[in-house]
Amino acid sequence: MTDDVRRGVIGAGVLGFGFSALIDVVVLHLILRLHHLVSNRYPVSTVPGLRTNVLADGLFSLGAILVMGVGAGLLWRAERRADRPLPVRSLAGAAIIGIGGFDLFDVVVNHALLGVHHATHGSGYYDPHWFVVSVLIVVAGVLVYRGGDRAGGSGA
């Protein structure tokens, strides 16, 4: 693997990580309202608690956008420096690994270690399910990534 491909893969992984974080906050926190970022610490049943949670969700969204920007910048820079197109399958696999990586981070750190929220308000019942799905996403990313390697680096 060349340095340009390695940089591109890292950029794609970081982009996937940030993308998953943004989708998590927009879909699960704001649209479906299954939980908020700190809903186990500040109850959403009170106006001050809901305000705190929405503020935390908003700041988290900004962080996710920043991570996506860093990943996109790394990927763009690697592509610009490469003397041939970067392998699409390897980049897609890395992005999928990044998506699952965020989900694993979320369930292990936010749900289990810090306990700031769970998959649904107040209940950790679905956390093991979230963990399994996250692992499956990472495995899918590894399979796609390895498919790119077997394709001779062409990405086709």
Side-chain angles (χ1 to χ4, degrees), residues 2-138:
T2 67
D3 285 342
D4 293 327
V5 172
R6 185 174 295 110
R7 286 184 190 110
V9 164
I10 291 169
V14 171
L15 180 62
F17 190 93
F19 178 76
S20 185
L22 189 61
I23 293 301
D24 180 272
V25 76
V26 169
V27 175
L28 301 178
H29 297 210
L30 302 176
I31 295 173
L32 298 176
R33 292 173 282 161
L34 293 177
H35 62 266
H36 291 281
L37 189 63
V38 290
S39 55
N40 277 11
R41 303 275 193 235
Y42 300 94
V44 295
S45 58
T46 67
V47 172
L50 184 58
R51 284 184 179 157
T52 300
N53 275 282
V54 170
L55 175 62
D57 289 343
L59 294 173
F60 185 76
S61 296
L62 288 176
I65 291 168
L66 179 65
V67 170
M68 285 178 61
V70 168
L74 291 170
L75 181 56
W76 177 79
R77 194 168 180 201
E79 182 66 37
R80 298 277 300 179
R81 289 182 175 195
D83 49 350
R84 68 177 85 157
L86 299 177
V88 174
R89 286 185 190 156
S90 296
L91 297 178
I96 295 167
I97 292 168
I99 289 168
F102 169 76
D103 293 338
L104 277 174
F105 168 83
D106 185 38
V107 74
V108 170
V109 175
N110 293 331
H111 299 200
L113 297 177
L114 299 177
V116 294
H117 70 261
H118 293 293
T120 57
H121 283 300
S123 168
Y125 178 78
Y126 290 106
D127 289 351
H129 304 83
W130 188 248
F131 179 81
V132 170
V133 168
S134 302
V135 169
L136 290 174
I137 294 170
V138 170

